[in-house]
Amino acid sequence: MPRWQFEEADHNALKNSGFKMHLMELLDTLLVYRAEHDKPNAGQGVVKIRGNDLAIEWLPRSKFEELRDV
């Protein structure tokens, strides 16, 4: 289950703009692709947004779960 870690105003802005929905669709596509092509950590994609930069990191399960539990 995806988990969003944003201030409420930022989360609402992302949701209301449609960005959140499109990002979830992109992540779903990438997860399926990575799984079909035996890429490591296919289910542990973490999106990092810093200003105008967006990056997706594919983390080992232990690191992913550590971030998820924060």
Side-chain angles (χ1 to χ4, degrees):
M1 177 60 103
R3 180 167 180 212
W4 298 85
Q5 296 178 342
F6 292 106
E7 297 294 327
E8 186 174 348
D10 293 335
H11 181 263
N12 289 338
L14 290 171
K15 184 177 176 183
N16 293 338
S17 72
F19 177 79
K20 180 180 173 181
M21 180 188 70
H22 292 296
L23 180 58
M24 294 301 295
E25 290 173 354
L26 173 63
L27 285 173
D28 187 51
T29 300
L30 291 172
L31 293 172
V32 169
Y33 175 87
R34 290 179 65 84
E36 288 176 350
H37 292 89
D38 297 320
K39 299 292 183 186
N41 311 319
Q44 290 94 243
V46 175
V47 177
K48 295 187 176 188
I49 301 172
R50 290 189 182 97
N52 292 329
D53 295 328
L54 181 132
I56 301 172
E57 277 188 68
W58 302 95
L59 302 175
R61 181 171 297 279
S62 60
K63 182 65 176 171
F64 178 81
E65 289 176 351
E66 185 180 306
L67 287 174
R68 184 189 64 199
D69 294 337
V70 171

